[in-house]
Amino acid sequence: MAAPASIPSGRSFGSRRLWIGVASAALLLALAWSAAWFYVPPLVAGAAEKLTLDKLGRRLTLGHVAFNPWTLELTIDDLALAGAGAGAPPQLEVKRIHADAAIVSLFRLAPVIDSLEIDAPVVRVARIDEGRYDVDDVLERLAAAPPAEHPPRFALHNIVVRGGSVDFVDRPLAATHRVRDLALGVPFLSTLPSERDIKVEPHLAFDLDGGRFDSAGAATPFAQKGNGEVHLKFEGFAVGPYLGYLPRGMPARLRKATLGADLAIAFERQPKLSLKIAGAIAASDIEVLDTSLEDLMQAGDIRFVIDDLRPLERRV
């Protein structure tokens, strides 16, 4: 005689319902998370445009916004901040911004960015008159804003700026100063305790009106000891286009000079704050006039070699 078929116990039936419920919830969560592909970009664009208009009084436009919810990567293409007045060129343009957020951002309720890349930013600033600039309205809004009760909570790591440029148009002097090939590397900026992989060394380089500026460094300013060293180097920097910004009424007037420098700046916070500068500063083709615009001094080449300069300790 055949044995009677076994009947599932209440416990196994309940376990099956539990697993079905967990799987359904996971599936719904995955679908909702995937939907962020579509609804996060318009939310980011709308919030950014509204916040910029409220805080700066300028219109912000974003060309294309993409978000990957599984890697938490956000990409913004063709950002533009309107200039002052109708018909003015954009005050700021950025070809591409790419941010790679860390999953801990969700738990800390604050942005923790593993890497931030900014490609081809363009900044335009104009001096309209003596002491007046086309960004005065933005600066006045920022100055009038009430101070925040608490500093913003964020952590940015591996910040890289590539191919930047700045145009400074001086209308009273009918001159334009240009910064080209701006490259910047910042290891991190943070108001949160955060330990992320650091892959970027401090770096700043650019061309200013044909003169090259370059720097590199390695530093740990937020560590317990807090020490580091930065190298600064530039050459062929002609001061002629900037003489109009020197204070008036000086006993002597520089008419011409070309500057260069190769310096190593070391700092340390412990056991006491210390700053040491070593290297060389050079100047060539120097012409200085007196108050009557007569020749006061001419020099072909001057070079200062610094073995050990400690400005905080008044030692040289």
Side-chain angles (χ1 to χ4, degrees):
M1 183 175 180
S6 60
I7 300 176
S9 66
R11 176 179 297 180
S12 59
F13 182 71
S15 299
R16 184 181 301 174
R17 291 187 60 183
L18 175 63
W19 283 112
I20 292 175
V22 170
S24 300
L27 179 60
L28 291 176
L29 179 61
L31 291 175
W33 193 258
S34 299
W37 245 303
F38 305 100
Y39 62 73
V40 167
L43 289 176
V44 169
E49 292 170 2
K50 183 180 185 304
L51 181 64
T52 303
L53 188 61
D54 292 342
K55 298 295 184 181
L56 305 183
R58 300 285 186 88
R59 184 171 176 236
L60 178 73
T61 58
L62 306 179
H64 179 258
V65 181
F67 178 69
N68 187 331
W70 299 107
T71 60
L72 295 182
E73 293 179 84
L74 177 69
T75 303
I76 299 174
D77 295 323
D78 300 324
L79 177 149
L81 179 66
Q91 202 92 58
L92 169 67
E93 290 181 291
V94 182
K95 185 65 176 177
R96 174 180 174 269
I97 300 175
H98 180 78
D100 185 3
I103 191 66
V104 295
S105 303
L106 303 177
F107 306 108
R108 308 189 71 168
L109 300 180
V112 178
I113 308 299
D114 281 339
S115 66
L116 177 64
E117 299 177 0
I118 303 174
D119 293 334
V122 179
V123 178
R124 300 180 180 92
V125 179
R127 186 169 79 119
I128 303 172
D129 204 346
E130 191 71 29
R132 293 181 56 234
Y133 299 84
D134 64 349
V135 292
D136 286 346
D137 59 319
V138 174
L139 299 179
E140 289 172 0
R141 277 178 168 265
L142 294 176
E149 297 182 3
H150 303 286
R153 301 173 69 248
F154 69 93
L156 304 179
H157 302 84
N158 302 306
I159 306 167
V160 176
V161 178
R162 292 182 288 253
S165 63
V166 180
D167 288 340
F168 178 73
V169 179
D170 192 328
R171 296 176 186 171
L173 295 180
T176 300
H177 305 296
R178 297 178 175 87
V179 173
R180 294 294 182 267
D181 297 328
L182 173 65
L184 175 66
V186 180
F188 63 90
L189 296 172
S190 177
T191 59
L192 295 173
S194 178
E195 296 182 2
R196 315 297 299 178
D197 290 336
I198 301 299
K199 303 175 183 178
V200 173
E201 293 185 353
H203 181 235
L204 174 63
F206 57 85
D207 287 331
L208 174 58
D209 293 335
R212 184 63 181 170
F213 177 93
D214 203 347
S215 69
T220 57
F222 300 105
Q224 183 176 2
K225 187 175 182 181
N227 57 52
E229 184 173 291
V230 177
H231 295 273
L232 303 177
K233 184 177 182 179
F234 63 91
E235 57 187 1
F237 180 70
V239 302
Y242 314 98
L243 297 178
Y245 306 107
L246 294 177
R248 300 178 181 179
M250 299 177 64
R253 177 180 176 182
L254 181 65
R255 182 169 69 178
K256 182 182 178 183
T258 302
L259 305 180
D262 189 353
L263 301 172
I265 305 174
F267 62 90
E268 187 172 284
R269 293 175 57 188
Q270 300 293 338
K272 67 175 182 178
L273 187 62
S274 176
L275 183 67
K276 175 184 176 181
I277 302 174
I281 299 176
S284 60
D285 300 327
I286 305 167
E287 296 182 9
V288 181
L289 307 178
D290 59 18
T291 53
S292 59
L293 301 183
E294 297 292 334
D295 289 338
L296 180 63
M297 185 189 77
Q298 293 185 352
D301 293 285
I302 297 178
R303 180 179 176 84
F304 299 94
V305 178
I306 304 171
D307 291 328
D308 189 356
L309 170 62
R310 299 177 183 265
L312 300 181
E313 303 168 35
R314 299 184 180 181
R315 287 176 49 193
V316 59

